[in-house]
Amino acid sequence: MEEACKSSLNFFSDQRLCYADVLSPLEVIARIQVAVLNFLRILTSPAPAISDLPLVARKSSNSRLSQGLWTQTSWIFLTNAFSARSLARPNAAKAFIRVWKVMAMCSQILGQEKKVTQRELFYKLLCDSPDYFSSQSQVNRTVQDVVALLRCSRYSLGIMASSRGLVAGRLLLQEPNQGVVDCAACGFSGHGISGDLSSIDNLIMKTDARYIIVVEKHAIFQRLVDDRVFNQIPSIIITAKGYPDIATRLLLHRMSRAFPDLPILALVDWNPAGLAILCTFKFGSIGMGLEAYRYACNVKWLGVRGDDLELIPEQALVPLKPKDLQIAKSLISSEILQENYREELTLMVESGQRAEIEALYFHGYDYLGKFIAKKIVQANYI
């Protein structure tokens, strides 16, 4: 424990670190204790002052895109600009106290060698501190604050991911001392991805696939699995059922490391939200910029894209919604968007229309497999 405290003292004196470490429970508890000692030191000094909590700023102006030197994978990272939670500002005082409440709870969880989901954490905090926590979003933001203060991963804090993800196809999974799961034999519902990130980190994986296909929607995933597209196109099929959760992103990242020769191809709706989902798999997110390097993958955009619109009847195109335009505005202002993605997004906005994957069913319910196969053969992905 003494060594962990020394390491944590060095950590708090080095403000150049802008990534989240994966730490042992003792190391996390040591960082929490040092944060408390620093706060108490300021309060008991000859000229006591109310301390600010220096958090790595989670905003677009503090984000950059890291270009991999040895791989094609890029990811969002945060620079050493800081924001603060302060007792001195009335609008930030509650957020300041929430950080300490969550750190105390995490210290307790780690001391008991437990893991909790953010949902479980919310209900515990709601019961213990109702004056400070009234919504799940407050807990989620505060957990991100604690990650930004201590610069350790949320899993290191004892917080598990809530996974919605599924995987199917030519993949064998085995946890240590457990049986082998054949993801090709799990039916059209696929194999549920565990929210235990440590379990995902320790998976033994084998495959004879040639591609990994990331699917935005659950219904499309079910269609591809039910048609056993993974036999026609030797592949692993994975979905997060919409916006990607951490566990699904980690499993995809692990597969990208375990099988570096397999192209990762994304099938998403042709709309700003579909592109945002693809970019989250590819680069990570600003909100989790400290941990993005653990989840980023070199994902290519298979479809649906602008040159696929000729396959879709005009009456199947849907007008963009105000929320689509809001997402588009955010993406266009981002430095992470590569030029050919920016061109696709501009085309969406200028046309004022969106196309969903399901529109391809105009050619028959078995058409999706043929669509994917043709694009792969032609290397038609960006």
Side-chain angles (χ1 to χ4, degrees):
M1 188 67 180
E2 184 179 348
E3 286 301 316
C5 284
K6 286 180 181 177
S7 171
S8 295
L9 286 168
N10 292 333
F11 162 79
F12 276 99
S13 67
D14 184 358
Q15 297 299 311
R16 294 171 299 173
L17 283 169
C18 288
Y19 58 87
D21 295 315
V22 178
L23 302 177
S24 69
L26 283 180
E27 289 172 313
V28 176
I29 291 170
R31 287 195 182 183
I32 293 172
Q33 290 174 343
V34 170
V36 172
L37 290 173
N38 284 342
F39 183 58
L40 293 176
R41 176 177 54 80
I42 292 169
L43 291 181
T44 56
S45 65
I50 295 176
S51 175
D52 290 343
L53 290 174
L55 312 177
V56 177
R58 303 187 308 275
K59 53 186 180 181
S60 58
S61 60
N62 191 40
S63 67
R64 301 291 185 274
L65 189 64
S66 170
Q67 302 287 346
L69 290 176
W70 307 111
T71 70
Q72 292 183 311
T73 303
S74 303
W75 60 87
I76 290 172
F77 72 96
L78 300 179
T79 64
N80 60 355
F82 287 82
S83 61
R85 298 288 179 267
S86 174
L87 272 173
R89 297 197 305 273
N91 63 340
K94 279 197 170 183
F96 180 95
I97 295 169
R98 287 187 198 112
V99 171
W100 292 105
K101 293 277 187 184
V102 168
M103 279 200 293
M105 191 66 69
C106 289
S107 180
Q108 181 182 340
I109 291 164
L110 293 171
Q112 296 173 353
E113 299 182 349
K114 300 287 186 182
K115 298 285 182 187
V116 299
T117 65
Q118 287 192 173
R119 192 65 176 165
E120 291 170 329
L121 185 64
F122 163 62
Y123 279 109
K124 178 64 174 169
L125 290 165
L126 180 65
C127 294
D128 290 358
S129 307
D131 293 339
Y132 298 100
F133 295 95
S134 58
S135 69
Q136 181 71 57
S137 62
Q138 288 176 337
V139 174
N140 296 349
R141 282 195 299 270
T142 306
V143 169
Q144 289 178 338
D145 283 348
V146 173
V147 169
L149 175 67
L150 301 179
R151 276 165 279 171
C152 64
S153 69
R154 70 185 63 204
Y155 188 76
S156 299
L157 293 170
I159 299 171
M160 292 190 300
S162 296
S163 177
R164 304 181 306 274
L166 301 169
V167 64
R170 302 167 84 107
L171 178 67
L172 300 178
L173 297 175
Q174 184 177 20
E175 293 183 36
N177 304 315
Q178 299 292 323
V180 176
V181 175
D182 182 355
C183 294
C186 294
F188 76 94
S189 59
H191 174 68
I193 298 170
S194 170
D196 185 341
L197 303 189
S198 177
S199 170
I200 295 173
D201 271 331
N202 293 322
L203 281 174
I204 301 165
M205 299 185 289
K206 295 180 181 179
T207 189
D208 63 351
R210 294 176 59 189
Y211 305 95
I212 299 172
I213 301 173
V214 180
V215 181
E216 174 184 347
K217 294 175 169 178
H218 185 206
I220 300 298
F221 172 88
Q222 289 180 310
R223 167 57 56 195
L224 295 176
V225 175
D226 196 37
D227 290 348
R228 301 190 72 80
V229 166
F230 52 78
N231 285 335
Q232 304 158 29
I233 307 164
S235 57
I236 301 165
I237 305 175
I238 186 169
T239 184
K241 301 183 188 175
Y243 194 84
D245 57 87
I246 298 170
T248 306
R249 288 164 60 189
L250 179 58
L251 179 59
L252 184 64
H253 177 81
R254 282 244 28 232
M255 289 194 291
S256 74
R257 292 298 185 91
F259 317 123
D261 296 330
L262 301 191
I264 305 174
L265 309 174
L267 181 64
V268 298
D269 286 342
W270 191 71
N271 63 19
L275 179 55
I277 287 169
L278 186 154
C279 287
T280 303
F281 276 118
K282 189 176 182 73
F283 304 117
S285 63
I286 292 170
M288 288 187 59
L290 290 164
E291 300 182 73
Y293 72 96
R294 294 197 69 218
Y295 310 113
C297 305
N298 184 28
V299 181
K300 302 292 186 182
W301 191 356
L302 182 76
V304 176
R305 302 202 317 273
D307 59 3
D308 300 320
L309 296 184
E310 62 185 28
L311 301 171
I312 296 173
E314 189 174 343
Q315 59 268 30
L317 300 176
V318 180
L320 290 176
K321 300 176 181 178
K323 186 176 181 181
D324 291 319
L325 296 173
Q326 185 179 355
I327 295 170
K329 183 179 179 182
S330 175
L331 285 170
I332 286 174
S333 66
S334 170
E335 294 181 5
I336 71 169
L337 209 60
Q338 60 197 59
E339 189 55 35
N340 47 7
Y341 287 13
R342 194 178 297 276
E343 290 170 3
E344 289 278 345
L345 186 59
T346 301
L347 180 60
M348 292 177 203
V349 174
E350 289 178 350
S351 70
Q353 294 179 312
R354 49 185 283 172
E356 300 193 359
I357 303 167
E358 288 89 343
L360 293 168
Y361 289 153
F362 169 76
H363 301 279
Y365 289 112
D366 61 347
Y367 180 70
L368 273 183
K370 299 172 187 175
F371 171 79
I372 293 169
K374 183 177 180 180
K375 299 203 77 161
I376 288 176
V377 168
Q378 296 176 342
N380 186 3
Y381 40 82
I382 57 177

